[in-house]
DNA sequence: TTGAAAGCGATACCAT
DNA sequence: ATGGTATCGCTTTCAA
């Protein structure tokens, strides 16, 4: 093992100079800095993590809590974990996993043992148990998602309400007067807040634009092709020609296949907007207008806020809502087609 | 923050006694131990992670490297991460995530900074780049999976070859003389070793039992319902009435639906064994005999081996293959049905 | 611009 | 059975 002493000796300087040269926390003459860097590289020096944690005020580790619920959509979840990890590494941070039902206990543990500098909370439930833990510890905690009671918390999330309104606005602009929301499985409205918020946005958007709205679920526990098919058939029977889709891939395909069965051309006879989807809709048979859910947006911001909180301990909690983006792909009919 | 000194003072003993009492590494009289535990609990004492890492020879952290490839099956992957995390926590260990393409760099980093005591390697590819990294570092590294060249490595995995043979044996015992292996998507045979090993086991089993074998893939890049349907139709046309299924959920459903279309009763007219599946086949319309892939089996063992390696640094690398288990559910025809 | 040295908070050895 | 203390390798103040 190479220590800072050996690097110092090799470079002919003191250990403090080595420390400062490598951390950049104090100006070091160009020449000695190069010597130190060369020595460090030659010896394969890497500061001891434990020593750094003990002496410094940073551990360079974030905890990431993720309560793997049964209804967790694995691919989306993984995308968030990956995005968080990449964002953290970009700032020299590693990610410690706090999985399973022990997430709450784990938070207290890593906080009081000073194992991590901050905690990032994924997959936030409306009445998340981690909320009260977060309030009880001094370790900065950032929620990626919005619980019902966010008092005193720092949260980062997409503005799902705005996303819902945005989707409706586009459809209303295209001249539609009746919209069907093809929503998440019913269980999602019980366990997640983002689905509710999106639905609320769609509802308020419809009200504001005087649109007739039908909101539906894509199944009970999971997305059910039969349910989706029935919902779409009913919508078409009502005369609805505009859909806001907020669910997983499969339902998109069912929707498109039903529309095709009816000989309806997406972007001409009917309009479809896919809202808050984490996957790539360009793989679908018909490209869809999307309001994408980009994990890196939330995760990058969460990491930055965490770091900022470490710099400035006095900065106060806040809710950061990221404005939704609309990505057109021709699936909403234009004025020319009316 | 509570330190060991404060606990010592509160309990009226020295810090070394506190350390020993809490770690149990030295006998401490029943009475003083209770006093110490009470004081620690009252003060909410939790040893400082950095100090422990520096002073002790353990960090109590495992690294878990996972290269999230495009074809990674997210739910299965998550199950392995969860199983590892649970096994680690059971021994007082936390799990540090090493994601993305930087997995190799990350391994060297956490090894030379002594951030972790051992590294667990998930989702092992046949020619995994992490193999050479593992050979170049001193940190004990356990592969959960088997690379082509495992020389000098410690690996834990299900014995997929035995699983393949087992599946064939059961079908042969039931009197079948022709079997179709409904395999993974083609890409899987390029990126994973376990699919190859299972196929090899099926092949050698078929040879040993003098069974006509047809091996197929369930699509090119991903499981493709059309391909699966065609494969099953072809098998039925050939007269095959026995299937070994080794792929994800969807293909199972397609298989069952085709069989139903033909009026074939699973467990009577046809036999089906699902091999090395991580998901719950009892959700299918027809329960299937399975040779389950239980993540906790591999992960628990991997963690135990890692800990053992830390105790006894001289213990030599080894490949640990876990024997497959056969779980009957009535989907293989019995003698009575012939 | 650089160096010396005081901690950081545990563990574990050496005493008693 | 318990206590004193050297030690781990770094960060950071204080001095020069």
């Amino acid at each position: 093992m190479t220590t800072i002493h050996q690097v110092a000796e090799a470079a002919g300087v003191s250990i403090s100079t080595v420390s400062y040269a490598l951390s950049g926390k104090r100006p070091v003459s160009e020449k000695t800095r190069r010597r130190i860097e060369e020595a460090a590289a030659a010896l394969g020096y890497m500061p001891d993590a434990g020593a750094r944690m003990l002496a410094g005020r940073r551990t360079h580790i974030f905890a990431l809590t993720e309560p793997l619920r049964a209804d967790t959509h694995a691919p989306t979840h993984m995308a968030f974990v990956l995005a968080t990890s990449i964002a953290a590494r970009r700032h020299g941070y590693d990610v410690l996993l706090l999985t399973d039902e022990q997430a709450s206990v784990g938070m207290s543990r890593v906080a009081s043992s000073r194992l991590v500098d901050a905690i990032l909370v994924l997959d936030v439930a409306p009445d998340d148990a981690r909320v009260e833990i977060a309030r009880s510890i001094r370790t900065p905690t950032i929620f990626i998602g919005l619980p019902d009671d966010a008092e005193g918390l720092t949260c980062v999330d997409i503005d799902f309400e705005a996303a819902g309104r945005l989707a409706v606005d586009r459809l209303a602009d295209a001249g539609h007067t009746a919209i069907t929301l093809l929503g998440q499985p019913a269980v999602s409205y019980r366990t997640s807040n983002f689905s509710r918020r999106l639905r609320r946005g769609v509802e308020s958007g419809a009200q504001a634009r005087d649109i007739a709205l039908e909101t539906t679920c894509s199944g009970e526990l999971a997305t059910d092709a039969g349910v989706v098919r029935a919902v779409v058939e009913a919508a078409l029977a009502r005369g609805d020609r505009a859909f806001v889709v907020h669910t997983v891939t499969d339902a998109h395909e069912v929707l498109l296949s039903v529309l095709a069965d009816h000989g309806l051309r997406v972007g001409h006879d009917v309009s479809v907007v896919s809202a808050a989807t984490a996957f790539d809709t360009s793989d679908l048979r018909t490209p869809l207008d999307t309001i994408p859910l980009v994990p890196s947006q939330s995760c990058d911001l969460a990491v930055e806020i965490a770091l900022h909180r470490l710099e400035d301990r006095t900065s106060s909690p806040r809710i950061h809502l990221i404005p939704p983006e609309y990505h057109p792909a021709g699936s909403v009919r234009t004025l020319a087609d009316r």
Side-chain angles (χ1 to χ4, degrees), chain A:
Chain A
M1 229 205 76
T2 310
T3 72
I4 198 172
H5 286 95
Q6 306 177 32
V7 177
E9 192 172 4
V13 295
S14 72
I15 63 163
S16 51
T17 303
V18 173
S19 178
Y20 285 122
L22 296 180
S23 73
K25 292 188 182 175
R26 187 167 89 172
V28 170
S29 83
E30 177 61 27
K31 212 171 53 187
T32 57
R33 214 204 53 221
R34 267 235 321 290
R35 274 218 317 285
I36 290 171
E37 277 167 359
E38 280 164 15
L43 295 171
Y45 171 68
M46 199 60 114
D48 182 276
R52 228 154 69 116
M53 289 169 70
L54 181 55
R57 60 178 43 174
R58 299 282 185 90
T59 68
H60 299 274
I61 300 178
F62 288 140
L64 183 68
T65 92
E66 40 164 16
L68 298 173
R69 282 188 279 273
D71 62 304
T72 301
H73 188 239
T76 304
H77 184 85
M78 269 178 50
F80 274 88
V81 172
L82 182 60
T84 306
S85 172
I86 289 175
R89 280 306 310 148
R90 200 160 46 224
H91 297 277
Y93 269 75
D94 270 301
V95 168
L96 191 93
L97 219 53
L98 258 29
T99 334
D100 73 77
E101 73 292 351
Q102 297 206 336
S104 304
V105 180
M107 284 173 69
S108 310
R109 187 169 48 78
V110 299
S112 55
S113 67
R114 301 201 330 187
L115 218 196
V116 306
D117 291 336
I119 300 176
L120 305 174
V121 180
L122 272 191
D123 221 334
V124 180
D127 61 337
D128 207 296
R130 295 168 295 177
V131 166
E132 64 173 304
I133 306 281
R135 293 204 180 100
S136 74
I137 61 182
R138 320 185 88 243
T139 306
T141 303
I142 320 291
F143 286 75
I144 299 177
L146 207 55
D148 280 341
D149 174 14
E151 179 64 35
L153 304 183
T154 300
C155 306
V156 168
D157 208 357
I158 304 285
D159 190 339
F160 286 100
E161 287 209 37
R165 284 193 302 270
L166 180 52
V168 170
D169 276 340
R170 292 299 182 112
L171 293 171
D173 289 347
H176 291 284
T177 54
I179 294 178
T180 291
L181 167 65
L182 181 52
Q184 296 264 322
V187 65
S188 172
Y189 292 94
R190 272 173 256 130
T191 60
S192 309
N193 225 332
F194 77 103
S195 355
R196 296 182 186 173
R197 283 156 55 211
L198 187 109
R199 188 173 59 185
R200 198 180 310 141
V202 167
E203 285 164 354
S204 73
Q207 194 158 15
R209 299 295 299 260
D210 200 24
I211 300 277
L213 175 70
E214 191 78 17
T215 66
T216 67
C217 291
S218 58
E220 184 53 31
L221 288 170
T223 300
D224 180 331
V227 171
V228 173
R229 190 170 293 275
V231 163
V232 175
E233 292 286 1
L236 293 177
R238 274 195 308 276
D240 284 13
R241 290 295 180 270
F243 294 87
V244 175
V245 193
H246 176 228
T247 179
V248 291
T249 330
D250 304 10
H252 286 75
E253 275 156 3
V254 174
L255 166 64
L256 292 177
S257 100
V258 174
L259 294 178
D261 290 349
H262 283 256
L264 295 168
R265 293 163 305 159
V266 172
H268 296 280
D269 311 312
V270 292
S271 298
V272 178
V273 175
S274 179
T277 45
F279 59 89
D280 191 359
T281 47
S282 62
D283 287 344
L284 295 173
R285 66 174 84 180
T286 310
L288 297 182
D289 284 23
T290 56
I291 300 174
L293 177 61
V294 185
S296 61
Q297 282 183 344
S298 311
C299 298
D300 288 3
L301 183 55
V303 164
E304 264 148 38
I305 291 173
L307 291 171
H308 180 258
R309 193 55 83 68
L310 292 174
E311 306 275 280
D312 176 12
R313 289 266 172 183
T314 68
S315 65
S316 46
R318 238 201 79 195
I319 291 177
H320 304 253
L321 290 183
I322 299 167
E325 289 170 10
Y326 193 91
H327 292 198
S331 68
V332 169
R333 75 174 182 197
T334 56
L335 291 170
D337 287 302
R338 290 203 222 160

